[in-house]
Amino acid sequence: MTTPFPFTAVVGQDDLRLALLLNAVSPAVGGVLVRGEKGTAKSTAVRALSALLPEVAVVPGCRFSCDPASPDPSCPDGPHEGGPGAHRPARMVELPVGASEDRLVGALDIERALAEGVKAFEPGLLADAHRGILYVDEVNLLHDHLVDLLLDAAAMGASYVEREGVSVRHAARFLLVGTMNPEEGELRPQLLDRFGLTVEVAASREPDQRVEVVRRRLAYDDDPAGFAARWAGEEAAVRQRIVAARELLPQVRLGDGALRQIAATCAAFEVDGMRADIVMARTATALAAWAGRTDVLAEDVRQAALLALPHRRRRNPFDAPGLDEDKLDRTLEEFSGESPDDDPDPDGPGGGGGGPAPDAGPQGGDTGARPEEGDGGEPQPSGAGAGEQPAARAAEPFRTKALSVPGIGEGAAGRRSRARTEHGRTTGARRPRGALTKLHLAATVQAAAPHQRARGRSGPGLVIRRDDLRQAAREGREGNLVLFVVDASGSMAARQRMSAVKGAVLSLLLDAYQRRDKVGLVTFRGSAADVALPPTSSVDAAAARLESLPTGGRTPLAAGLLKAHEVLRVERLRDPARRALVVVVTDGRATGGPEPVALAGRAARLFAAEQVASVVVDCESGPVRLGLAGQLAAELGGTAVTLDELRADAIAGLVKDVQGTSRRAA
């Protein structure tokens, strides 16, 4: 068995260690979400925590870890009679990002069902994690169907399995710990709120601390057991302190003054619902117990807010989590009451995802200037950077119409287009191609039943052959690669259109965020096109690049389309199952170079030949319209939609139009 890195040997990361220890003291706090860049000891600290947790008393032989003092009356292995229990270390169960639904919640024991003719339940990871830690590395990449199951279990403290003739309910109370790198995409709001606390971690910029990190890591890699032995004393001291804090926790008093500060703080930061208030109260109580006190002080409330509120404050999805500490201190001071114990301590603990809140997202009016004179309203470059306009602020985002790729794909789970998936509604059965991944029980039994007499069946179980097995065919939704090709030329800056254009693209990015898509951003202006953002799951990174996008110069439309075509070619090699949706945001003009319009048409026909789904967002405005965007859409084999039609409350048949046009082009 691998010796884990000692928890007390982790250098720095005070907020992370405190949040984990508070959950060890009071599992009711609700778990921890650890956000941060790669290589910051996120996983190391979480895995080390399990060694500090006190042992768990369990009913001997129970697969669901029932407490002998109060066994679960609905336990599938019950009923349990009273008696002495066995003790074992607390478990830390890791949930892989690619785990199946059956592996998480459990399922019918197929082998016993077919061989013995009995219904038997095989527990999943939720049963293993009961009264322990459920750890999800890269939790933001977890498939939606697994997220839904986690939400249900976390909300009810139990797992319900109703499938394939099995009806099982068992307790599933666990400490949920997740780690994630925000560069790879954000977490669904529903799951984000289920984490009691959140911390932001980053690598230290202090050379001495970085040296110590390297020194300890090298020493551990050379001799894990010897390194752990050198830290055994510190580990034992922390373990004893956790036990003492747990024993003290029921005696901690949460006074009315502290409760009032908690309620006022949650109201001041406009968090949704009441879960934040409850988590803050539990966290402040755990902080007092960890400090060896029986009274909750203002410093406990402050620290609890810094840990429990950053990921819950009402914000634009593209804003980074954070909390305005000055506002927090003012709120605590205002509701401190007359008790000196309730005065906020400005010098108290200040970690836990702090830092001033960022600006209120990419909103507001247009700040771009009109272009200089030129061909078709475009500025004429006379040198490097000539004609470039300041970056315009994006207009207010809006809810967009749903755009989808026609046909049925087989890409990663998401919420945009129809796809054959391992999860979703069952639509039929088929013979397995390769390894069997999801058995269609009824179809398998139906295929085997006519041959039982010929096969000499004599017992209750069926005689099953390989040819009898049937794979369940399921249909769900997939995430796509939404590649934005944005015209940033001078013609787009004319008549102050870029603000509206950025608002539309930002709205589509919000839609991609909700539908679990990958996104990419290609821009073209002047004489060339650039990949402003390679395909990524971090939609907020695309929003940041869009916000700083300058405009000006000619319109090399062909260069933009060819660059997008190259991005798609490379991405097909990396992720061949993920289908693409190309969104071209332009007024359709093409200038610069010989025959720019004809060259753009030839580039567009490359997409049509490969049947790439596409939409052209027509940004042309004014009383006289040339209809160039519509011509471009026809060349692409897609459809054109104006900025007004893109809104969800506009033309009702947009999705059908997109799909129908793509089918006709095919």
Side-chain angles (χ1 to χ4, degrees):
M1 182 176 178
T2 304
T3 302
F5 192 92
F7 186 86
T8 52
V10 175
V11 179
Q13 308 298 9
D14 295 337
D15 295 337
L16 169 58
R17 293 192 293 170
L18 177 61
L20 291 171
L21 289 170
L22 291 177
N23 276 274
V25 171
S26 176
V29 166
V32 186
L33 174 65
V34 187
R35 297 166 46 95
E37 58 196 22
K38 50 188 176 294
T40 50
K42 300 188 300 293
S43 300
T44 299
V46 174
R47 292 189 174 99
L49 176 67
S50 60
L52 298 178
L53 297 180
E55 289 191 336
V56 178
V58 297
V59 174
C62 178
R63 297 173 298 166
F64 301 87
S65 302
C66 280
D67 186 348
S70 57
D72 182 3
S74 302
C75 177
D77 285 353
H80 299 302
E81 298 180 358
H87 287 77
R88 62 162 177 77
R91 292 174 180 160
M92 190 191 75
V93 178
E94 294 197 39
L95 172 60
V97 170
S100 67
E101 184 176 334
D102 290 348
R103 185 70 188 96
L104 178 61
V105 301
L108 177 69
D109 189 331
I110 298 296
E111 183 177 351
R112 292 190 62 189
L114 296 179
E116 303 175 21
V118 298
K119 290 194 297 184
F121 180 70
E122 185 176 1
L125 295 177
L126 290 180
D128 293 341
H130 179 47
R131 304 176 67 200
I133 301 173
L134 182 62
Y135 172 49
V136 189
D137 194 13
E138 305 296 348
V139 64
N140 52 322
L141 304 182
L142 198 64
H143 289 173
D144 280 351
H145 68 283
L146 297 182
V147 170
D148 294 337
L149 294 170
L150 274 182
L151 288 173
D152 290 341
M156 298 182 291
S159 175
Y160 291 84
V161 183
E162 300 282 350
R163 57 170 61 188
E164 297 164 344
V166 174
S167 179
V168 172
R169 177 261 181 214
H170 66 83
R173 292 183 295 275
F174 46 81
L175 171 58
L176 181 61
V177 180
T179 57
M180 61 174 283
N181 184 348
E183 294 177 356
E184 297 173 340
E186 282 293 343
L187 202 60
R188 278 177 55 184
Q190 295 92 334
L191 184 57
L192 188 66
D193 187 54
R194 282 294 172 187
F195 286 97
L197 310 179
T198 185
V199 291
E200 295 278 336
V201 296
S204 172
R205 299 297 181 256
E206 294 293 331
D208 291 342
Q209 196 171 72
R210 296 176 73 96
V211 166
E212 186 62 22
V213 170
V214 175
R215 182 181 291 118
R216 293 186 186 183
R217 186 69 213 190
L218 293 178
Y220 171 77
D221 290 340
D222 290 341
D223 182 12
F227 184 81
R230 291 195 292 274
W231 289 88
E234 287 82 352
E235 293 282 285
V238 173
R239 192 177 298 109
Q240 292 171 4
R241 188 175 175 184
I242 291 174
V243 173
R246 283 189 173 188
E247 294 175 351
L248 183 62
L249 187 64
Q251 305 173 37
V252 176
R253 184 181 66 87
L254 184 63
D256 290 343
L259 270 175
R260 187 170 179 80
Q261 286 184 317
I262 290 171
T265 301
C266 292
F269 285 96
E270 299 181 311
V271 296
D272 295 326
M274 295 297 298
R275 184 173 287 116
D277 304 62
I278 297 171
V279 171
M280 270 191 68
R282 289 171 173 165
T283 305
T285 303
L287 280 163
W290 178 248
R293 291 184 270 102
T294 56
D295 287 317
V296 174
L297 306 182
E299 64 190 58
D300 300 323
V301 176
R302 186 181 193 277
Q303 181 68 73
L306 291 170
L307 292 172
L309 295 189
H311 61 304
R312 288 190 170 90
R313 68 178 182 84
R314 186 173 298 161
R315 60 188 180 92
N316 185 294
F318 296 141
D319 291 343
L323 211 61
D324 186 338
E325 294 193 39
D326 291 336
K327 180 178 180 180
L328 173 61
D329 289 335
R330 289 194 301 270
T331 303
L332 294 176
E333 176 69 29
E334 180 181 355
F335 291 89
S336 62
E338 299 180 357
S339 171
D341 285 343
D342 288 335
D343 289 339
D345 179 7
D347 298 323
D359 292 338
Q363 300 180 8
D366 172 49
T367 58
R370 292 179 181 272
E372 301 171 4
E373 70 276 8
D375 181 22
E378 300 183 39
Q380 297 301 309
S382 58
E388 181 173 306
Q389 305 297 321
R393 300 277 294 190
E396 186 76 20
F398 51 85
R399 189 167 64 89
T400 66
K401 280 288 186 182
L403 306 176
S404 64
V405 178
I408 301 180
E410 295 182 345
R415 294 185 168 187
R416 183 171 296 277
S417 305
R418 294 175 58 198
R420 288 182 288 270
T421 64
E422 291 296 319
H423 315 282
R425 63 186 182 90
T426 300
T427 58
R430 59 176 173 80
R431 292 182 181 272
R433 296 190 294 267
L436 179 70
T437 57
K438 189 67 179 178
L439 180 72
H440 194 297
L441 183 58
T444 299
V445 172
Q446 186 176 9
H451 309 291
Q452 294 307 295
R453 180 175 296 177
R455 293 173 182 175
R457 173 187 170 186
S458 58
L462 292 175
V463 181
I464 300 293
R465 303 284 170 80
R466 173 70 185 176
D467 290 343
D468 300 328
L469 300 179
R470 295 293 183 268
Q471 174 84 25
R474 296 190 168 191
E475 182 176 310
R477 291 278 170 176
E478 66 176 2
N480 298 117
L481 167 60
V482 182
L483 182 60
F484 294 93
V485 186
V486 179
D487 184 350
S489 66
S491 67
M492 296 293 287
R495 293 178 291 276
Q496 300 182 354
R497 280 182 287 166
M498 203 59 195
S499 176
V501 168
K502 285 188 176 183
V505 178
L506 182 63
S507 303
L508 290 167
L509 283 171
L510 282 165
D511 182 67
Y513 165 78
Q514 294 165 352
R515 297 181 188 277
R516 311 285 283 180
D517 294 316
K518 289 180 71 173
V519 297
L521 180 62
V522 173
T523 63
F524 56 94
R525 57 184 290 270
S527 60
D530 297 310
V531 181
L533 184 72
T536 175
S537 297
S538 181
V539 178
D540 52 345
R545 302 290 174 87
L546 175 72
E547 184 67 16
S548 59
L549 179 66
T551 58
R554 293 187 180 274
T555 312
L557 177 57
L561 294 175
L562 291 174
K563 180 67 72 173
H565 187 267
E566 175 64 17
V567 170
L568 292 183
R569 184 188 68 80
V570 174
E571 192 63 19
R572 285 193 200 101
L573 299 176
R574 295 174 178 168
D575 192 357
R578 189 181 291 269
R579 298 185 296 164
L581 173 64
V582 176
V583 179
V584 185
V585 185
T586 180
D587 56 8
R589 295 170 183 253
T591 60
E595 299 183 343
V597 176
L599 185 59
R602 289 198 294 271
R605 286 192 288 275
L606 293 174
F607 293 86
E610 297 175 1
Q611 299 183 12
V612 177
S614 59
V615 177
V616 178
V617 179
D618 184 359
C619 301
E620 192 174 26
S621 61
V624 178
R625 303 199 179 198
L626 303 178
L628 298 176
Q631 297 175 23
L632 175 63
E635 298 278 9
L636 286 166
T639 188
V641 50
T642 67
L643 290 174
D644 290 336
E645 292 170 347
L646 191 61
R647 294 178 178 270
D649 54 356
I651 296 177
L654 181 58
V655 177
K656 294 181 180 178
D657 290 344
V658 173
Q659 296 178 340
T661 306
S662 299
R663 291 192 185 98
R664 288 193 296 274

